[in-house]
Amino acid sequence: MRTITIMNRVLKELFRDKRTLALMFLAPILVLTLMNVVFSSNSSTTVSIGTVSVSKSVNSDLNKIKHVNVQKYADYASAKKDLKQNKLDAIIQKAHNKYTLTHANTDSSKTSAVKMAFKSALTESNMNDLKNNLLTSTTALKKVQKQLVTTSSALAKLQVQTAKANKQKSINESTKLPNQPQKETSVKHVSSPQVLNKYVYGNSDTGFFTKIIPILMSFFVFFFVFLISGMALLKERTSGTLDRLLATPVKRSEIVFGYMLSYGILATIQTITIVLYTVWVLGLQVIGNLGSVVFINLILALVALAFGILISTFANSEFQMMQFIPVLIIPQIFFSGIIPLDTMADWVKGISYVMPIKYSGDAVSDIVMRGTHITALGSNIDILFGFLIVLTLLNIIGLRRYHKV
């Protein structure tokens, strides 16, 4: 009986807690819906290939392959420039009987797609060459057959003439046919061309994890800073420390900046630790400047700090703070770039533009894999600063609800 009484009391408390009910029922549905939207709208990856001095037949066969865009270049330097600017996924250059494939290799799936497309186009081109050579050989063979028919007719006439002769020996000597000149039929031998693969980033063993590790690095920076800052300010508020501060002449903006600076120092140390561990221990190859990678993640950490402080104002306990993770943090994984955004439908892709991790992930990936200078990442950095300013202002405004008059 007492057990039933305890059960009823716990159930009543649970049903009164709307956020817990939402976490149990709505959060899983939201995550599953997002996964369904992301994966069901996923289409084949489109690759862009630049060709230099490649035959028309190979270019034509490449163009016939679905999800392959081919652009011809007059020289390798122009193609290399577009490859560096992320306009191309690979360059195919032909010199004599040798093909050189230069892959950006920032996405292993695109690298594999380029290799398969080139192999298919080259095989198709070689088959066409063999068909043409076979047709030439067949034509030459028909000419030889005509010559044999003519020779056979001449031989038959000669045998009739020799039958009228009296002496067999003289007949045999006189029946020697002059050698008929025959045209040599040469068939072109289609030799297999050499294929050399080069990689701007990594090597042939570079896999999918190498592509997502810069994004995962940013995600973990964002997640832990968000969680720690939110929990810390929540504790300050529930313990009464924040109320006592608000009762003093201290301005709300000074309180917000004070918290952001203090936790910002910890976030800086954490960010540097995560970045250095990823590079030195996990062996992440960084083509660009390592300091730029740290700088981008520091901005993201400050955004996460401001975001965590803001969300903590809507929670009354640590458990309620945790309830925001499935709704606000997990969806960012799907739109951070771990799943290629260019394979999604346009309306699904639009959701990613409100995710801070999307911009930091793009910026860090460009620095790590393409060696992009930080000055060329203006839009991504500006948007991250925009998030930081807006969230900081919302924090200052949000403290009004706790101001003691």
Side-chain angles (χ1 to χ4, degrees):
M1 190 64 183
R2 293 175 181 175
T3 302
I4 301 298
T5 303
I6 294 173
M7 179 194 73
N8 290 331
R9 182 183 64 81
V10 173
L11 285 175
K12 288 180 181 178
E13 291 180 356
L14 284 175
F15 284 119
R16 288 171 185 167
D17 191 348
K18 307 300 181 185
R19 290 175 181 171
T20 301
L21 294 176
L23 177 67
M24 293 180 64
F25 299 105
L26 296 181
I29 293 174
L30 174 63
V31 174
L32 287 173
T33 302
L34 285 175
M35 292 181 68
N36 178 67
V37 167
V38 169
F39 289 104
S40 63
S41 62
N42 194 16
S43 59
S44 300
T45 301
T46 300
V47 294
S48 298
I49 302 175
T51 59
V52 181
S53 303
V54 175
S55 63
K56 290 183 179 180
S57 60
V58 175
N59 275 319
S60 176
D61 292 330
L62 280 172
N63 267 320
K64 292 177 183 178
I65 301 174
K66 291 183 178 180
H67 308 295
V68 175
N69 297 327
V70 180
Q71 185 174 351
K72 299 178 183 179
Y73 289 87
D75 54 79
Y76 181 78
S78 301
K80 188 65 179 290
K81 182 179 178 181
D82 283 354
L83 182 70
K84 190 173 182 180
Q85 294 177 352
N86 201 25
K87 295 179 181 179
L88 295 175
D89 298 305
I91 301 172
I92 301 176
Q93 184 184 25
K94 183 181 181 182
H96 305 295
N97 198 34
K98 180 180 179 182
Y99 287 95
T100 302
L101 277 67
T102 305
H103 303 274
N105 206 30
T106 55
D107 187 338
S108 59
S109 61
K110 290 188 175 182
T111 301
S112 300
V114 170
K115 290 180 179 179
M116 291 178 64
F118 174 71
K119 184 177 180 181
S120 176
L122 190 61
T123 302
E124 184 69 21
S125 178
N126 287 338
M127 288 296 294
N128 291 333
D129 290 341
L130 287 172
K131 288 178 182 178
N132 292 332
N133 289 336
L134 183 60
L135 182 61
T136 303
S137 301
T138 304
T139 304
L141 184 59
K142 288 180 179 179
K143 291 181 179 180
V144 172
Q145 288 176 342
K146 288 181 179 180
Q147 291 179 355
L148 287 175
V149 171
T150 304
T151 304
S152 299
S153 299
L155 182 61
K157 290 179 180 180
L158 190 58
Q159 286 176 347
V160 172
Q161 292 176 358
T162 55
K164 298 177 181 180
N166 295 324
K167 293 182 179 181
Q168 190 65 32
K169 184 177 179 181
S170 61
I171 292 173
N172 291 336
E173 291 177 354
S174 62
T175 55
K176 287 184 179 180
L177 293 173
N179 292 330
Q180 296 288 336
Q182 294 183 349
K183 294 183 180 179
E184 294 183 359
T185 58
S186 60
V187 179
K188 284 186 178 180
H189 177 64
V190 181
S191 60
S192 299
Q194 295 180 347
V195 179
L196 176 65
N197 289 285
K198 294 182 178 180
Y199 305 91
V200 175
Y201 180 82
N203 51 42
S204 58
D205 297 325
T206 300
F208 180 69
F209 183 72
T210 305
K211 174 186 179 296
I212 67 173
I213 194 169
I215 302 172
L216 289 176
M217 180 169 56
S218 297
F219 172 76
F220 286 122
V221 167
F222 184 90
F223 174 73
F224 287 108
V225 172
F226 166 84
L227 192 62
I228 293 170
S229 62
M231 291 288 193
L233 187 64
L234 181 63
K235 185 178 180 181
E236 292 277 291
R237 201 180 79 242
T238 55
S239 64
T241 304
L242 183 60
D243 290 337
R244 289 192 292 271
L245 277 174
L246 288 169
T248 65
V250 179
K251 296 180 180 179
R252 294 190 301 273
S253 59
E254 293 174 339
I255 295 175
V256 172
F257 290 136
Y259 278 116
M260 290 190 66
L261 286 174
S262 59
Y263 290 111
I265 294 173
L266 294 177
T268 301
I269 297 172
Q270 182 199 47
T271 300
I272 294 174
T273 303
I274 292 175
V275 171
L276 294 182
Y277 179 84
T278 305
V279 174
W280 291 346
V281 179
L282 298 184
L284 177 67
Q285 180 185 353
V286 180
I287 295 181
N289 188 282
L290 182 60
S292 299
V293 176
V294 174
F295 178 72
I296 297 296
N297 280 291
L298 280 177
I299 300 175
L300 180 66
L302 292 176
V303 172
L305 177 61
F307 191 42
I309 293 174
L310 178 64
I311 296 302
S312 68
T313 61
F314 299 98
N316 295 320
S317 65
E318 287 84 355
F319 180 68
Q320 289 185 353
M321 185 68 189
M322 295 291 291
Q323 290 175 353
F324 286 107
I325 293 176
V327 180
L328 300 176
I329 304 301
I330 291 180
Q332 299 209 41
I333 299 177
F334 301 122
F335 301 98
S336 61
I338 291 179
I339 301 171
L341 296 176
D342 58 354
T343 65
M344 299 181 186
D346 292 336
W347 69 272
V348 178
K349 194 186 305 182
I351 303 175
S352 66
Y353 296 125
V354 296
M355 307 290 181
I357 296 181
K358 186 261 183 191
Y359 301 99
S360 65
D362 288 347
V364 173
S365 296
D366 286 341
I367 295 170
V368 170
M369 296 185 170
R370 300 183 180 90
T372 306
H373 196 270
I374 194 169
T375 56
L377 301 171
S379 59
N380 288 325
I381 296 176
D382 291 344
I383 293 173
L384 286 174
F385 273 119
F387 275 113
L388 179 59
I389 294 171
V390 171
L391 290 172
T392 303
L393 292 175
L394 290 176
N395 278 317
I396 295 172
I397 297 171
L399 284 180
R400 289 179 178 177
R401 59 186 294 193
Y402 302 108
H403 202 295
K404 302 294 183 180
V405 180

